[in-house]
Every structure is written in C-alpha cells, then in structure tokens.
Amino acid sequence: MLYSSLLRPLLFRLPAERAHNLTMAQMRMLQSTALGRSLLRSFVGNIAPKPVNAMGLTFEHPVGLAAGLDKNAEAMEGFFALGFSHVEIGTLTPRPQPGNPQPRLFRLPEDQAIINRMGFNNRGAENAALRLAQRSHRWKIVGGNIGKNKDTPNEQAHEDYLLAMQALHTHVDYFTVNISSPNTPGLRDLQHEAALKSLLEAVATENKRLGAKPLAVKIAPDLTQEEVQNMARLAAESGFQGIIATNTTIGRNAPNTSQERIAAIGAGGLSGRPLTQKSTEVIGWVKEAVGDHLTIIGVGGVFTAQDVTDKRNAGADLVQVYTGFVYQGPSMVKQLQASWKNG
Ligand SMILES: Cc1cc2nc3c(=O)[nH]c(=O)nc-3n(C[C@H](O)[C@H](O)[C@H](O)COP(=O)(O)O)c2cc1C
C-alpha cells in the first residue's frame, strides 16, 4: 500500500536509472542497521517458510530476486529483509565495465514493462567478492550470475566465465551462466550448440575443480522450441543442475505503449507483463525436454499469485521477479509465496 500510494509515484517521477540508484542507496543504508532491517521487514510481515529443495539447496520458499537489480552484491541483506528466499547477484564480469551510455533504462507503465540496455554495467567479480565475504546471512541463498566482458571476443568467452567463477566461488551458493542478455553484442551466439557445449563443459570442469556448486544456465525467450529443448538437454548432459527461463526479450509486444515511444527507446530487452506468457511457454518446453532432471527457475512477468501458479504448472520449481517488484513493491513477495502450496 505504502509503496503503490506513496513511494512508487515519487520514484516514477524520476528518470528510471536515477530512481534505481536512489532505491539502492536507501537499501544500503537501511540494511546497515538493525533498525533499518526491521523497518524493511515491517513492509513485509512474517513469511511462513515453504521450503523447496532444489539443485541440492534448501530455499526457504520459492520466490527470489532475479539478476540485474543487485548487480554488485550491495544490498543483499536488505533484499533478504524484504523476504526474498534468494538473491541472484550480477551479472558480474571478471573486469569492471561501465555498460552502455545512458539513457539505457526505460519504463513502459501502460504495459507494466521495462526496456533496458544496461550492458552488464558492474564493478567486477572481485569487487563483489569483497562484499560477499562479509555477508552474515549464510543460511539465505545467493546466486552468482556471471558473464563476459563486452570487449572479450566470443572465442575467449569461456575464460571470462571461469575468471568470474574463480573470484566468486567460495562466496555464492550457486552459479548462473548468463548467455542470454540481448545487450552484449554476440552474447546470445553462445547459445548455439557447438559454442554452448564447450562453454558449459569448461564451466562444469572448473566448478568441479573448485569444489562443486550447483550450476544453472539462463536462456533467452527468443528461441524456437527445438533450440530451447536442445539447450536444456545439453545443460543436463554437461552436469548442470538448473535452467533459468527466461531473460528479457528482443520482441516488442507492448500493445498499450505507442509505436513512436517504442521506436524512440530503441534497442534493449523487454521485461514484465509482456513476457509473462512467453516465459511460461519456454518453461513448459524445458520441462518436456528434461523432466525432473533439472531444476527450473521461472522468471518473466511474474506479478500475481496466478502467474506463479501458471509457471509452477508449466514446470517451475522456483520463481524470480524483477519488473513486477519495481511496479508492485515489497508486499508482492509475501503474496506470491503465500500462494505456493507445498507438495
Ligand atoms: C534493468 C534490468 C537489468 C537486468 N540485468 C540483468 C543481468 O545483469 N543479468 C541477467 O541475467 N538478467 C538481467 N535482467 C533480466 C531479469 O533478471 C529477468 O530475467 C527479466 O527481466 C524477466 O523477468 P521480469 O519480467 O520479472 O523482469 C535484467 C532486467 C532488467 C529489467
């Protein structure tokens, strides 16, 4: 209530990236004291545990924060206080990079959507590792979403994933190999079979050497059924435990936003309401291909208990949110997880 009637109108008056930075600054401040954390918890109230065993980990309940919001692992404690069972940090690249020029983040309120072309702006995996080393919530789950630097050619991409993994390995509970952002030129080419096989095998081998953590791969919604199913089978064969479906789409199905506005925004990935059905369809394809062999984390346009139920019925074991959280605020975590019936 407080969010939709007061905070959101204020935040939405600011340019999207400024609102994001301001929110993150508030989160950092609030999480740093016991009083601040209890204020954050008071937004949510008590969350009844609904444990989910997946990828060899026990999640307190199925609702987590998707990658991209806390890229640098700065506000995990705050997001845990807001009730998320897991926070996926990143995407982190081995070297820091600024990302694309601003503006690069746009709201489409008529469609409850966002278009972004951030381009993996982040302070680098080692910088995040410094903060992760101090984390106190060892019982909460942190996923490390890793990617390659923009200026690393695809032929050497696997080296970047291994470097990021090495930096984060002792600090995170699972890894997500992100090959599906539309905002790093050529990244999605890594989803093609030969490149994917060698990348996933390199990551799995290094992960074993470092002391095996669960591995997931995050896929795009802009793939055919056959491509999705081949990727899912390959991930299982390469020793991965999970698939995250899906990242943002390069499609522009935002019927309530004018064509002029869409054209003026330009390139980027679309998320939120327009992605709900598509990502649920992709989850169904993954489930059909790999059955219970992989954990499926469903992401894309989750706003309501019905969206969670639909993703669960399609095969998701866990869900993550990003855009729905921007539009609905903290109370949604409790609402979503309350709709999840155990068993
Ligand atoms: C501003 C923004 C930045 C994002 N950055 C990342 C990222 O760095 N890595 C990643 O794997 N996904 C990233 N995502 C994708 C989300 O994690 C999620 O997969 C996608 O937005 C669909 O979920 P949603 O409809 O709930 O937002 C980003 C999304 C947004 C809106």
Side-chain angles (χ1 to χ4, degrees):
M1 271 304 273
L2 179 67
Y3 184 79
S4 54
S5 59
L6 189 69
L7 289 178
R8 188 181 61 196
L10 287 174
L11 288 170
F12 275 34
R13 286 168 78 151
L14 299 173
E17 189 160 349
R18 265 186 63 202
H20 168 80
N21 292 339
L22 190 67
T23 307
M24 290 301 285
Q26 295 297 322
M27 289 291 284
R28 283 196 302 271
M29 196 184 74
L30 288 168
Q31 73 172 5
S32 66
T33 63
L35 185 66
R37 288 192 296 276
S38 52
L39 186 70
L40 289 171
R41 270 192 292 274
S42 71
F43 266 112
V44 191
N46 279 338
I47 288 197
K50 301 212 167 162
V52 178
N53 294 315
M55 305 195 292
L57 302 168
T58 301
F59 294 75
E60 259 179 18
H61 63 76
V63 184
L65 183 70
L69 220 162
D70 192 4
K71 285 183 191 271
N72 295 303
E74 294 173 299
M76 291 166 305
E77 305 287 338
F79 288 113
F80 287 137
L82 287 179
F84 288 104
S85 69
H86 63 288
V87 171
E88 193 165 306
I89 58 157
T91 295
L92 287 156
T93 55
R95 284 169 286 120
Q97 61 178 28
N100 289 321
Q102 295 186 29
R104 52 191 180 175
L105 182 60
F106 309 88
R107 299 182 202 98
L108 281 57
E110 295 85 357
D111 283 296
Q112 293 195 297
I114 289 175
I115 291 177
N116 92 84
R117 53 168 173 275
M118 304 300 286
F120 292 170
N121 55 310
N122 77 104
R123 295 210 286 270
E126 280 174 14
N127 176 282
L130 294 176
R131 267 182 304 288
L132 285 159
Q134 291 157 14
R135 79 186 239 230
S136 60
H137 275 102
R138 291 307 305 195
W139 63 93
K140 303 268 191 186
I141 291 174
V142 175
N145 182 307
I146 52 175
K148 76 167 195 74
N149 280 106
K150 184 181 177 186
D151 57 3
T152 301
N154 271 7
E155 299 72 52
Q156 287 155 28
H158 68 280
E159 291 170 17
D160 273 13
Y161 287 90
L162 301 192
L163 285 169
M165 191 159 84
Q166 287 156 5
L168 296 168
H169 203 272
T170 49
H171 305 298
V172 299
D173 302 298
Y174 72 88
F175 279 105
T176 299
V177 172
N178 182 9
I179 45 171
S180 50
S181 164
N183 301 316
T184 293
L187 189 81
R188 286 183 169 196
D189 294 344
L190 295 172
Q191 294 182 126
H192 298 153
E193 203 161 336
L196 184 65
K197 192 169 187 314
S198 67
L199 174 63
L200 297 188
E201 284 175 358
V203 168
T205 304
E206 181 64 2
N207 182 47
K208 217 183 233 168
R209 191 183 73 79
L210 293 166
K213 296 264 161 107
L215 298 175
V217 61
K218 185 162 178 179
I219 64 174
D222 309 306
L223 299 163
T224 65
Q225 179 171 358
E226 195 188 350
E227 286 169 331
V228 166
Q229 295 189 325
N230 285 342
M231 285 181 72
R233 286 189 206 101
L234 195 60
E237 283 161 23
S238 309
F240 275 54
Q241 285 73 34
I243 293 272
I244 306 195
T246 65
N247 214 313
T248 56
T249 174
I250 53 170
R252 287 293 182 263
N253 171 31
N256 304 310
T257 305
S258 74
Q259 284 310 308
E260 292 73 29
R261 167 120 170 95
I262 301 251
I265 290 172
L270 174 69
S271 58
R273 199 30 106 198
L275 190 56
T276 310
Q277 236 179 328
K278 182 69 225 179
S279 82
T280 303
E281 183 180 35
V282 174
I283 291 165
W285 294 343
V286 173
K287 186 71 180 175
E288 189 184 289
V290 295
D292 293 332
H293 290 293
L294 291 181
T295 290
I296 302 175
I297 305 181
V299 202
V302 172
F303 286 75
T304 65
Q306 186 61 49
D307 300 330
V308 173
T309 304
D310 291 345
K311 283 192 164 39
R312 189 178 195 186
N313 289 343
D317 302 287
L318 299 161
V319 292
Q320 292 178 341
V321 295
Y322 188 140
T323 306
F325 184 68
V326 171
Y327 280 92
Q328 302 194 155
S331 61
M332 86 178 291
V333 182
K334 188 172 181 178
Q335 275 162 23
L336 295 186
Q337 75 91 35
S339 70
W340 191 275
K341 303 275 178 292
N342 282 349

